[in-house]
Coordinates of all heavy atoms in Angstrom, one line a residue:
M1 N 101.8 -30.4 64.6 CA 103.1 -30.2 64.2 C 103.2 -29.8 62.7 O 102.5 -30.3 61.9 CB 103.9 -31.5 64.5 CG 105.4 -31.4 64.2 SD 106.3 -32.1 65.6 CE 107.8 -31.3 65.3
S2 N 104.2 -29.0 62.4 CA 104.3 -28.6 61.0 C 104.8 -29.7 60.1 O 105.5 -30.6 60.5 CB 105.4 -27.4 61.0 OG 105.7 -27.1 59.6
E3 N 104.4 -29.6 58.9 CA 104.8 -30.6 57.9 C 106.3 -30.5 57.6 O 107.0 -31.4 57.3 CB 104.0 -30.3 56.6 CG 104.4 -31.3 55.5 CD 103.6 -31.0 54.2 OE1 102.6 -30.2 54.2 OE2 103.9 -31.6 53.2
Y4 N 106.8 -29.3 57.8 CA 108.3 -29.0 57.6 C 108.9 -28.5 59.0 O 108.9 -27.3 59.2 CB 108.5 -27.9 56.6 CG 107.8 -28.3 55.2 CD1 106.6 -27.7 54.9 CD2 108.4 -29.3 54.4 CE1 106.0 -28.1 53.6 CE2 107.8 -29.6 53.2 CZ 106.6 -29.0 52.8 OH 106.0 -29.4 51.7
P5 N 109.3 -29.4 59.8 CA 109.9 -29.0 61.1 C 111.1 -28.2 61.0 O 111.9 -28.4 60.0 CB 110.2 -30.3 61.8 CG 110.3 -31.3 60.7 CD 109.4 -30.9 59.6
L6 N 111.3 -27.2 61.8 CA 112.4 -26.3 61.8 C 113.6 -27.1 62.4 O 113.5 -27.7 63.5 CB 112.2 -25.1 62.6 CG 111.0 -24.2 62.1 CD1 110.8 -23.0 63.1 CD2 111.3 -23.7 60.7
V7 N 114.7 -27.1 61.7 CA 115.9 -27.8 62.2 C 117.0 -26.8 62.7 O 117.5 -27.0 63.8 CB 116.5 -28.7 61.0 CG1 117.8 -29.3 61.5 CG2 115.5 -29.7 60.6
N8 N 117.2 -25.7 62.0 CA 118.3 -24.8 62.4 C 117.7 -23.5 62.9 O 118.5 -22.5 63.0 CB 119.1 -24.5 61.1 CG 119.8 -25.7 60.6 OD1 120.4 -26.5 61.4 ND2 119.8 -25.9 59.3
R9 N 116.5 -23.5 63.3 CA 115.8 -22.3 63.8 C 114.9 -22.6 64.9 O 114.4 -23.8 65.0 CB 115.1 -21.5 62.7 CG 116.0 -21.2 61.5 CD 115.3 -20.3 60.5 NE 115.2 -18.9 60.9 CZ 116.2 -18.1 60.9 NH1 117.4 -18.4 60.6 NH2 116.0 -16.8 61.3
K10 N 114.5 -21.7 65.7 CA 113.5 -21.9 66.7 C 112.4 -20.8 66.5 O 112.8 -19.6 66.3 CB 114.1 -21.8 68.1 CG 115.0 -22.9 68.4 CD 115.1 -23.1 69.9 CE 116.1 -24.2 70.2 NZ 115.6 -25.5 70.3
Q11 N 111.2 -21.2 66.6 CA 110.1 -20.2 66.4 C 109.8 -19.6 67.8 O 109.8 -20.2 68.8 CB 108.9 -21.0 65.9 CG 107.7 -20.1 65.6 CD 106.6 -20.8 64.9 OE1 106.6 -22.1 64.9 NE2 105.6 -20.1 64.5
F12 N 109.5 -18.3 67.7 CA 109.0 -17.6 68.9 C 108.1 -16.4 68.5 O 108.0 -16.1 67.3 CB 110.2 -17.0 69.7 CG 110.8 -15.7 69.2 CD1 110.4 -14.5 69.7 CD2 111.7 -15.8 68.1 CE1 111.0 -13.4 69.2 CE2 112.3 -14.7 67.6 CZ 111.9 -13.4 68.1
T13 N 107.3 -15.9 69.4 CA 106.4 -14.9 69.2 C 106.7 -13.6 70.0 O 107.2 -13.8 71.1 CB 104.9 -15.3 69.6 OG1 104.7 -16.5 68.8 CG2 103.9 -14.3 69.3
S14 N 106.6 -12.5 69.4 CA 106.9 -11.2 70.1 C 106.0 -10.2 69.5 O 105.2 -10.4 68.6 CB 108.3 -10.9 69.8 OG 108.7 -9.8 70.6
T15 N 106.1 -9.0 70.1 CA 105.4 -7.8 69.6 C 106.4 -6.7 69.3 O 107.5 -6.8 69.8 CB 104.3 -7.3 70.6 OG1 105.0 -6.9 71.8 CG2 103.3 -8.4 70.9
M16 N 105.9 -5.7 68.5 CA 106.8 -4.7 68.1 C 106.0 -3.4 68.0 O 104.8 -3.5 67.6 CB 107.4 -5.0 66.7 CG 108.5 -4.1 66.3 SD 109.1 -4.5 64.6 CE 109.7 -6.1 64.8
R17 N 106.6 -2.3 68.3 CA 105.9 -1.0 68.1 C 105.4 -0.9 66.7 O 106.0 -1.3 65.7 CB 106.8 0.2 68.4 CG 107.1 0.4 69.8 CD 107.9 1.7 70.1 NE 108.4 2.4 69.0 CZ 109.7 2.8 69.0 NH1 110.5 2.7 70.0 NH2 110.1 3.4 67.9
N18 N 104.2 -0.3 66.5 CA 103.6 -0.1 65.2 C 104.5 0.6 64.2 O 104.7 0.1 63.0 CB 102.3 0.6 65.2 CG 101.2 -0.2 66.0 OD1 101.3 -1.4 66.0 ND2 100.2 0.5 66.5
D19 N 105.2 1.6 64.6 CA 106.1 2.4 63.7 C 107.3 1.6 63.3 O 107.7 1.6 62.1 CB 106.5 3.7 64.3 CG 107.2 3.6 65.6 OD1 106.9 2.6 66.4 OD2 108.0 4.5 66.0
L20 N 107.8 0.8 64.2 CA 108.9 -0.1 63.9 C 108.5 -1.2 62.9 O 109.2 -1.5 62.0 CB 109.5 -0.7 65.1 CG 110.2 0.2 66.1 CD1 110.7 -0.5 67.3 CD2 111.4 1.0 65.4
M21 N 107.3 -1.7 63.1 CA 106.8 -2.8 62.2 C 106.6 -2.3 60.8 O 107.0 -3.0 59.8 CB 105.5 -3.4 62.8 CG 105.0 -4.5 61.9 SD 106.2 -5.9 61.8 CE 105.7 -6.9 63.2
E22 N 106.1 -1.1 60.7 CA 105.9 -0.5 59.4 C 107.2 -0.3 58.7 O 107.4 -0.7 57.5 CB 105.2 0.8 59.5 CG 103.7 0.7 59.9 CD 103.0 2.0 60.2 OE1 103.6 3.1 59.9 OE2 101.9 1.9 60.7
A23 N 108.2 0.2 59.4 CA 109.6 0.4 58.8 C 110.2 -1.0 58.4 O 110.8 -1.1 57.4 CB 110.4 1.2 59.7
F24 N 110.0 -1.9 59.3 CA 110.6 -3.3 59.1 C 110.0 -3.9 57.9 O 110.7 -4.5 57.0 CB 110.3 -4.1 60.4 CG 110.9 -5.5 60.3 CD1 112.3 -5.7 60.4 CD2 110.1 -6.6 60.3 CE1 112.8 -7.0 60.4 CE2 110.6 -7.9 60.3 CZ 112.0 -8.1 60.3
N25 N 108.7 -3.8 57.7 CA 108.0 -4.3 56.5 C 108.5 -3.6 55.3 O 108.7 -4.3 54.2 CB 106.5 -4.2 56.7 CG 105.9 -5.2 57.6 OD1 106.5 -6.3 57.9 ND2 104.8 -4.8 58.2
R26 N 108.7 -2.3 55.3 CA 109.2 -1.6 54.1 C 110.6 -2.0 53.8 O 110.9 -2.2 52.6 CB 109.2 -0.1 54.4 CG 107.8 0.6 54.2 CD 107.9 2.1 54.1 NE 108.7 2.7 55.1 CZ 108.4 3.1 56.3 NH1 107.1 3.0 56.7 NH2 109.2 3.7 57.1
L27 N 111.4 -2.2 54.8 CA 112.8 -2.7 54.6 C 112.8 -4.0 53.9 O 113.5 -4.3 52.9 CB 113.6 -2.8 55.9 CG 115.0 -3.3 55.8 CD1 115.9 -2.4 55.0 CD2 115.6 -3.5 57.2
H28 N 111.9 -4.9 54.4 CA 111.8 -6.3 53.8 C 111.4 -6.2 52.3 O 111.9 -6.8 51.4 CB 110.8 -7.1 54.6 CG 110.2 -8.3 53.8 ND1 111.0 -9.4 53.4 CD2 109.0 -8.5 53.4 CE1 110.2 -10.2 52.8 NE2 109.0 -9.7 52.7
E29 N 110.3 -5.3 52.1 CA 109.8 -5.2 50.7 C 110.8 -4.6 49.7 O 111.0 -5.1 48.6 CB 108.5 -4.4 50.7 CG 107.4 -5.1 51.4 CD 106.1 -4.3 51.5 OE1 106.1 -3.2 50.9 OE2 105.2 -4.7 52.2
E30 N 111.6 -3.6 50.2 CA 112.6 -2.9 49.4 C 113.8 -3.8 49.1 O 114.4 -3.8 48.0 CB 113.0 -1.6 50.0 CG 111.8 -0.6 49.9 CD 112.2 0.7 50.7 OE1 113.3 0.9 51.1 OE2 111.2 1.5 50.9
T31 N 114.2 -4.5 50.1 CA 115.5 -5.3 49.9 C 115.2 -6.8 49.5 O 116.1 -7.4 49.0 CB 116.2 -5.4 51.3 OG1 115.5 -6.0 52.3 CG2 116.6 -4.0 51.7
R32 N 114.0 -7.2 49.7 CA 113.6 -8.6 49.5 C 114.4 -9.6 50.3 O 114.5 -10.8 50.0 CB 113.7 -9.0 48.0 CG 113.0 -8.1 47.0 CD 111.5 -7.8 47.4 NE 110.7 -9.0 47.4 CZ 109.5 -9.1 48.0 NH1 109.0 -8.0 48.5 NH2 108.9 -10.2 48.0
I33 N 115.0 -9.1 51.4 CA 115.7 -10.0 52.4 C 114.6 -10.6 53.3 O 113.7 -9.8 53.8 CB 116.7 -9.2 53.2 CG1 117.8 -8.6 52.3 CG2 117.3 -10.1 54.3 CD1 118.7 -7.6 53.0
P34 N 114.6 -11.9 53.5 CA 113.6 -12.5 54.4 C 113.6 -11.8 55.8 O 114.7 -11.5 56.3 CB 114.0 -14.0 54.5 CG 114.9 -14.2 53.3 CD 115.6 -12.9 53.0
K35 N 112.4 -11.7 56.3 CA 112.3 -11.0 57.6 C 113.1 -11.8 58.7 O 113.6 -11.2 59.6 CB 110.8 -10.9 58.0 CG 110.1 -9.9 57.2 CD 108.6 -9.9 57.7 CE 107.8 -8.9 56.9 NZ 106.4 -8.8 57.3
S36 N 113.1 -13.1 58.6 CA 113.9 -13.9 59.6 C 115.4 -13.5 59.5 O 116.0 -13.4 60.6 CB 113.7 -15.4 59.4 OG 114.1 -15.8 58.1
K37 N 115.9 -13.3 58.3 CA 117.3 -12.9 58.2 C 117.5 -11.5 58.8 O 118.6 -11.2 59.4 CB 117.8 -13.0 56.8 CG 117.7 -14.3 56.1 CD 118.8 -15.2 56.5 CE 118.7 -16.5 55.7 NZ 119.6 -17.5 56.1
L38 N 116.6 -10.6 58.5 CA 116.7 -9.2 59.0 C 116.7 -9.3 60.6 O 117.4 -8.5 61.2 CB 115.6 -8.3 58.5 CG 115.7 -8.0 57.0 CD1 114.4 -7.3 56.5 CD2 116.9 -7.2 56.7
H39 N 115.8 -10.1 61.1 CA 115.6 -10.2 62.5 C 116.9 -10.8 63.1 O 117.4 -10.3 64.2 CB 114.4 -11.1 62.8 CG 114.1 -11.1 64.3 ND1 114.4 -12.1 65.1 CD2 113.4 -10.2 65.0 CE1 113.9 -11.8 66.3 NE2 113.3 -10.6 66.3
D40 N 117.5 -11.8 62.5 CA 118.8 -12.4 63.0 C 119.8 -11.3 63.1 O 120.6 -11.2 64.0 CB 119.3 -13.5 62.1 CG 118.5 -14.8 62.2 OD1 117.7 -14.9 63.1 OD2 118.7 -15.7 61.3
E41 N 119.9 -10.5 62.0 CA 120.9 -9.4 62.0 C 120.7 -8.4 63.1 O 121.7 -8.0 63.8 CB 120.9 -8.7 60.6 CG 122.0 -7.7 60.5 CD 122.0 -7.0 59.1 OE1 121.4 -7.6 58.1 OE2 122.5 -5.9 59.0
A42 N 119.5 -8.1 63.4 CA 119.2 -7.1 64.4 C 119.5 -7.7 65.8 O 120.1 -7.0 66.6 CB 117.7 -6.7 64.4
I43 N 119.3 -8.9 66.0 CA 119.6 -9.6 67.3 C 121.1 -9.7 67.5 O 121.6 -9.4 68.6 CB 118.9 -10.9 67.4 CG1 117.4 -10.8 67.5 CG2 119.4 -11.7 68.7 CD1 116.9 -10.0 68.6
E44 N 121.8 -10.0 66.4 CA 123.3 -10.1 66.5 C 123.8 -8.7 66.8 O 124.7 -8.6 67.7 CB 123.9 -10.5 65.1 CG 123.7 -12.0 64.9 CD 124.4 -12.4 63.6 OE1 125.2 -11.7 63.0 OE2 124.1 -13.5 63.1
D45 N 123.3 -7.6 66.2 CA 123.8 -6.3 66.5 C 123.5 -5.9 68.0 O 124.3 -5.3 68.6 CB 123.1 -5.2 65.6 CG 123.6 -5.3 64.2 OD1 124.7 -6.0 63.9 OD2 123.0 -4.7 63.3
L46 N 122.4 -6.3 68.5 CA 122.0 -6.0 69.9 C 122.9 -6.8 70.8 O 123.4 -6.2 71.8 CB 120.5 -6.4 70.1 CG 120.0 -6.1 71.5 CD1 119.9 -4.6 71.7 CD2 118.6 -6.7 71.6
L47 N 123.2 -8.0 70.5 CA 124.1 -8.8 71.4 C 125.5 -8.2 71.4 O 126.2 -8.1 72.4 CB 124.2 -10.3 70.9 CG 122.9 -11.1 71.1 CD1 123.0 -12.4 70.4 CD2 122.7 -11.3 72.6
K48 N 126.0 -7.7 70.2 CA 127.3 -7.1 70.1 C 127.3 -5.8 71.0 O 128.3 -5.5 71.7 CB 127.6 -6.7 68.7 CG 128.0 -7.9 67.8 CD 128.3 -7.5 66.4 CE 128.5 -8.7 65.5 NZ 128.6 -8.4 64.1
K49 N 126.2 -5.0 70.9 CA 126.1 -3.8 71.6 C 126.3 -4.0 73.1 O 127.0 -3.2 73.8 CB 124.8 -3.1 71.4 CG 124.5 -1.9 72.2 CD 123.1 -1.3 72.0 CE 122.9 -0.1 72.9 NZ 121.6 0.5 72.7
Y50 N 125.8 -5.1 73.6 CA 125.8 -5.4 75.1 C 126.9 -6.4 75.4 O 127.0 -7.0 76.5 CB 124.5 -5.9 75.6 CG 123.5 -4.8 75.6 CD1 122.5 -4.6 74.6 CD2 123.5 -3.9 76.7 CE1 121.6 -3.5 74.7 CE2 122.6 -2.8 76.7 CZ 121.7 -2.6 75.7 OH 120.8 -1.6 75.8
H51 N 127.9 -6.6 74.4 CA 129.1 -7.4 74.6 C 128.8 -8.8 75.0 O 129.5 -9.4 75.8 CB 130.0 -6.7 75.7 CG 130.3 -5.3 75.4 ND1 131.1 -4.9 74.3 CD2 129.8 -4.2 76.0 CE1 131.1 -3.6 74.3 NE2 130.4 -3.1 75.3
Y52 N 127.8 -9.4 74.4 CA 127.4 -10.8 74.6 C 128.1 -11.6 73.4 O 128.1 -11.1 72.3 CB 125.9 -11.1 74.5 CG 125.3 -10.9 75.9 CD1 125.0 -9.6 76.4 CD2 124.9 -11.9 76.7 CE1 124.4 -9.4 77.6 CE2 124.3 -11.8 77.9 CZ 124.1 -10.5 78.3 OH 123.5 -10.3 79.6
E53 N 128.6 -12.8 73.8 CA 129.2 -13.6 72.8 C 128.2 -14.2 71.8 O 127.1 -14.6 72.3 CB 130.0 -14.8 73.4 CG 130.7 -15.6 72.5 CD 131.6 -16.7 73.2 OE1 132.0 -16.4 74.4 OE2 131.7 -17.8 72.6
I54 N 128.5 -14.1 70.5 CA 127.5 -14.7 69.5 C 128.0 -16.1 69.2 O 129.1 -16.3 68.8 CB 127.5 -13.8 68.3 CG1 127.0 -12.4 68.7 CG2 126.6 -14.4 67.2 CD1 127.1 -11.4 67.6
P55 N 127.2 -17.1 69.4 CA 127.5 -18.4 69.1 C 127.9 -18.6 67.7 O 127.3 -18.0 66.8 CB 126.3 -19.3 69.5 CG 125.4 -18.4 70.3 CD 125.8 -17.0 69.9
E56 N 128.7 -19.6 67.4 CA 129.1 -19.9 66.0 C 127.9 -20.5 65.3 O 127.1 -21.2 66.0 CB 130.2 -20.9 66.0 CG 131.6 -20.4 66.5 CD 132.1 -19.3 65.5 OE1 132.0 -19.5 64.3 OE2 132.7 -18.4 66.1
K57 N 127.8 -20.3 64.0 CA 126.6 -20.9 63.3 C 126.8 -22.3 63.0 O 127.9 -22.9 62.9 CB 126.5 -20.1 62.0 CG 126.1 -18.7 62.1 CD 125.9 -18.0 60.8 CE 125.5 -16.6 61.0 NZ 125.4 -15.9 59.8

């Protein structure tokens, strides 16, 4: 178990196309926005696209 347990987040593993990962890494480096925050934003946009309700934070 981690020394710092996650309270407001859940960890998961996934894969991504190589070209998307390269662009994602560049976006992170250029904006200095944490990858987890960028990922949250992308999932929120996907849920909106398919008209799924986004739970309150």
Side-chain angles (χ1 to χ4, degrees):
M1 183 135 200
S2 172
E3 181 180 350
Y4 304 103
L6 298 175
V7 176
N8 297 317
R9 303 188 76 73
K10 295 205 184 266
Q11 186 174 7
F12 77 100
T13 303
S14 186
T15 61
M16 187 183 302
R17 285 188 348 227
N18 291 337
D19 58 330
L20 293 177
M21 182 58 89
E22 290 171 9
F24 185 66
N25 286 333
R26 281 195 313 271
L27 177 63
H28 160 68
E29 289 174 13
E30 291 173 10
T31 64
R32 305 312 299 166
I33 298 170
K35 289 180 181 181
S36 61
K37 299 278 187 196
L38 293 171
H39 191 258
D40 287 348
E41 183 177 341
I43 295 298
E44 284 183 15
D45 289 347
L46 185 65
L47 290 170
K48 287 177 188 175
K49 176 182 176 181
Y50 288 99
H51 308 289
Y52 275 77
E53 186 175 329
I54 299 171
E56 293 292 322
K57 294 181 182 178

